[in-house]
Amino acid sequence: MRYQRLDLNLLVALEALLSECNVTRAAERLNLGQSATSSALGRLREHFNDPLLVAVGRRLEPTARAQALLPKVREALALTREVIEAPAAFDPGSCQRRFTVVASDYVAAVLMPAVSRVLAQVAPQVRLALRDLPLPRGGDVVSEALDYRRSDCVIVPQRRLNSDYPHAPLLVDQWCCIVCARSVHAQGLSLAAYRQAEHVVREFADGRTLGMDAAFLAEQGIERKVGITVESFALVPAFVAGSQRVATLFRRQAEPFADAHGVKVVPAPLAFPQALQVLQWHPYQQDDPALAWFRGLLVAQAAALGQA
């Protein structure tokens, strides 16, 4: 790059030449050949209209012009290195980005309100967009969310993790059941009763993709009587209340339902595995300082839920 007819790369050569006062040592420092370094010195002499280095006996000595230039050149190169090497600063208070998160309505309800409250305090100009998990192309919801939907991050059950994308563990929960507080199941739910009861199930729009609970039951060879399917966890308790129906939900979401809908949380009659939600993002956004900060906020708020 040139600035006022000077190739700015020559400033590096000028600093080396004036520091060493020796073309051979300057060439070694610059990792250049001696002829290329001598050529650089010639171009610098022409630009500054000054010999810069003059022979005094067997050594080279800087001219008065060169002595005046050297501290300024060193300062300019130091500032350049500072600009190039310094990490991009990020100030949440002045950030005006919009962060788009793809997650199930369970994660949106359990985690994201706390995240939004922190954003309101420390990053009030940030906008938050929540999107439900899309129907996966070829079974991969992660690439669908990050490549096709251009989302900033996606939160998925661990079994849907795509190892081609960076990831971090986020949220662990347990499975439980909800029943009507006045139903025959309110005192406990046996496996036999679980099999015989009519179930309210959260189902994907394609009708084929299994939820985490359904996938586990299928692996165990357990069938349940599905009476009602809905596309949102938030709708489940309304169809359990006032009935003998059963639903299998994550405990963090089921417990608030118990207070608001007249349902009761009871232990699941079989040992469902822990449910881990995983945060994933696109590799090209790995070093985006704003998104790195936002991902850290998600992880911190999920950890705070675990301590509550």
Side-chain angles (χ1 to χ4, degrees):
M1 178 179 176
R2 291 184 175 274
Y3 180 74
Q4 294 187 356
R5 296 178 290 109
L6 176 66
D7 181 349
L8 295 182
N9 291 317
L10 288 175
L11 291 181
V12 179
L14 178 60
E15 193 275 334
L17 285 162
L18 298 185
S19 296
E20 298 293 342
C21 292
N22 184 290
V23 174
T24 301
R25 289 199 300 271
E28 293 173 353
R29 182 166 159 180
L30 295 167
N31 198 26
L32 291 175
Q34 187 166 340
S35 61
T37 306
S38 295
S39 174
L41 177 58
R43 293 163 64 191
L44 287 163
R45 283 169 167 166
E46 180 180 355
H47 177 81
F48 289 106
N49 193 27
D50 187 270
L52 300 176
L53 292 172
V54 294
V56 178
R58 293 188 174 183
R59 66 181 188 277
L60 294 175
E61 292 287 346
T63 64
R65 180 75 186 278
Q67 292 177 27
L69 282 173
L70 182 57
K72 296 177 181 179
V73 171
R74 284 174 173 166
E75 182 179 353
L77 293 177
L79 182 60
T80 301
R81 283 192 293 271
E82 182 179 335
V83 170
I84 293 173
E85 297 173 3
F90 174 68
D91 175 20
S94 61
C95 179
Q96 299 182 20
R97 295 275 291 272
R98 169 176 165 152
F99 297 133
T100 301
V101 179
V102 172
S104 69
D105 60 313
Y106 153 71
V107 173
V110 168
L111 176 62
M112 299 312 295
V115 172
S116 73
R117 289 190 288 272
V118 175
L119 288 175
Q121 293 174 358
V122 302
Q125 299 180 81
V126 164
R127 291 163 295 153
L128 185 61
L130 303 179
R131 300 285 183 266
D132 197 4
L133 293 173
L135 294 178
R137 303 186 189 195
D140 183 17
V141 70
V142 175
S143 62
E144 176 70 22
L146 298 177
D147 285 322
Y148 295 101
R149 306 296 175 93
R150 300 296 182 185
S151 304
D152 293 312
C153 55
V154 59
I155 301 169
V156 294
Q158 185 179 31
R159 67 187 181 89
R160 292 187 178 276
L161 182 146
N162 185 327
S163 58
D164 291 336
Y165 298 82
H167 64 276
L170 189 66
L171 186 65
V172 177
D173 209 338
Q174 304 287 342
W175 290 99
C176 64
C177 293
I178 61 170
V179 299
C180 177
R182 300 186 303 275
S183 77
V184 297
H185 309 302
Q187 301 307 312
L189 191 61
S190 67
L191 181 56
Y194 185 82
R195 288 173 178 266
Q196 293 169 6
E198 187 177 86
H199 286 253
V200 182
V201 175
R202 199 275 199 195
E203 185 176 76
F204 282 87
D206 62 2
R208 298 188 304 273
T209 304
L210 296 179
M212 297 171 67
D213 56 332
F216 175 73
L217 291 171
E219 292 169 0
Q220 303 302 309
I222 296 175
E223 292 187 18
R224 57 184 171 183
K225 298 177 182 177
V226 178
I228 298 176
T229 61
V230 295
E231 291 188 17
S232 168
F233 285 112
L235 294 173
V236 170
F239 292 95
V240 172
S243 77
Q244 300 299 321
R245 300 186 188 108
V246 174
T248 307
L249 294 175
F250 298 108
R251 182 169 292 277
R252 294 187 197 278
Q253 194 171 35
E255 289 175 345
F257 288 160
D259 298 330
H261 293 276
V263 296
K264 183 177 180 180
V265 178
V266 296
L270 66 165
F272 284 93
Q274 277 193 332
L276 172 63
Q277 302 285 335
V278 179
L279 175 66
Q280 296 210 257
W281 58 94
H282 207 286
Y284 86 86
Q285 295 176 312
Q286 174 72 30
D287 297 322
D288 182 319
L291 289 175
W293 175 84
F294 180 64
R295 292 193 299 266
L297 173 61
L298 292 173
V299 171
Q301 290 305 303
L305 280 178
Q307 295 168 4

